[in-house]
Amino acid sequence: MTITTVLFDLDGVIRHFDPDAVAEIERRHGIDPGTIESFAFAAPLLQEVTTGKLRRTEWVDRIAEHLGNPAAAEEWSRQPYRVDAEVVAIADQLRAAGLRTAILTNGTDTIPAEAEQMRLHDHFEAVFNSAEIGHAKPDARAFHAVLDDLDVGPHEVFFTDDSPGKLVGATYLGIRTHHYEGITGLRRALAGLGILTRSA
């Protein structure tokens, strides 16, 4: 079946944070390297915030309590980021070719505001957020929600994520997947499916 929809992960594919920024925050606050994210991204806390059981503010409060340093937690939560113009350009090329583009992210309750700030809806038909869906990747139910909302079958969809583990649920459903490691590989994968020319 022909691919009609290209689904992108957000963080690590479209939006990028500077890993050195976290190290700098920890250094300035006298926190052991890796402490913040080893707690913030550990189970079950991460699962709770990305499935809507906790609000982002509550998540940051938990991190502050763990660190004993509210200022460091707040600073970590406001890290600068950049939007990858090359990935966005691919989304625009796909839309110009008649395909649908969307995002599925394991996010928090603030994703709608963040999407607005990044103007994602100028380039993607929809931004699906695990905190709103109630299930996070790689849970197949997260992908089911996207398929149902877009009214497409799994074999019509191509999904790319920078975390191989997040692809599992999509693959299980029959969605074609790509482990994102850079723009060149993504272009190659899309060209291999005949939905983007290599030189685009």
Side-chain angles (χ1 to χ4, degrees):
M1 186 176 288
T2 304
I3 297 292
T4 64
T5 305
V6 178
L7 186 63
F8 297 78
D9 175 35
L10 178 59
D11 293 328
V13 177
I14 297 166
R15 177 170 64 175
H16 302 279
F17 294 92
D18 181 0
D20 293 336
V22 180
E24 175 60 16
I25 291 167
E26 290 175 327
R27 185 193 66 76
R28 283 190 287 99
H29 287 275
I31 298 168
D32 289 340
T35 298
I36 297 176
E37 294 189 344
S38 65
F39 179 79
F41 297 148
L45 186 60
L46 183 64
Q47 189 74 9
E48 291 175 351
V49 74
T50 57
T51 55
K53 295 179 177 66
L54 279 180
R55 296 197 305 267
R56 181 180 175 84
T57 54
E58 294 171 317
W59 183 43
V60 176
D61 286 345
R62 295 270 191 95
I63 296 165
E65 183 179 354
H66 175 75
L67 297 174
N69 190 327
E74 180 61 26
E75 190 175 343
W76 173 81
S77 75
R78 293 183 288 99
Q79 292 174 63
Y81 62 82
R82 68 177 180 85
V83 174
D84 195 316
E86 289 186 293
V87 176
V88 170
I90 284 181
D92 289 343
Q93 291 160 12
L94 292 168
R95 294 182 77 187
L99 284 87
R100 304 166 79 183
T101 61
I103 293 169
L104 173 60
T105 181
N106 281 0
T108 73
D109 62 305
T110 60
I111 284 294
E114 294 166 30
E116 185 71 22
Q117 184 180 46
M118 290 183 276
R119 303 181 63 87
L120 294 180
H121 291 288
D122 291 348
H123 310 281
F124 302 90
E125 180 175 324
V127 178
F128 295 98
N129 175 17
S130 63
E132 296 173 306
I133 294 170
H135 303 288
K137 300 175 292 183
D139 192 321
R141 290 173 292 184
F143 295 97
H144 262 304
V146 173
L147 299 178
D148 289 346
D149 190 277
L150 296 178
D151 193 24
V152 293
H155 298 290
E156 296 178 70
V157 179
F158 172 93
F159 172 59
T160 185
D161 197 300
D162 66 315
S163 173
K166 300 295 195 313
L167 302 174
V168 176
T171 301
Y172 172 77
L173 294 176
I175 294 171
R176 284 185 246 195
T177 62
H178 169 71
H179 175 209
Y180 183 83
E181 296 181 284
I183 198 74
T184 300
L186 177 59
R187 286 189 181 279
R188 186 180 301 117
L190 292 169
L193 293 171
I195 55 177
L196 187 75
T197 61
R198 290 181 185 274
S199 59

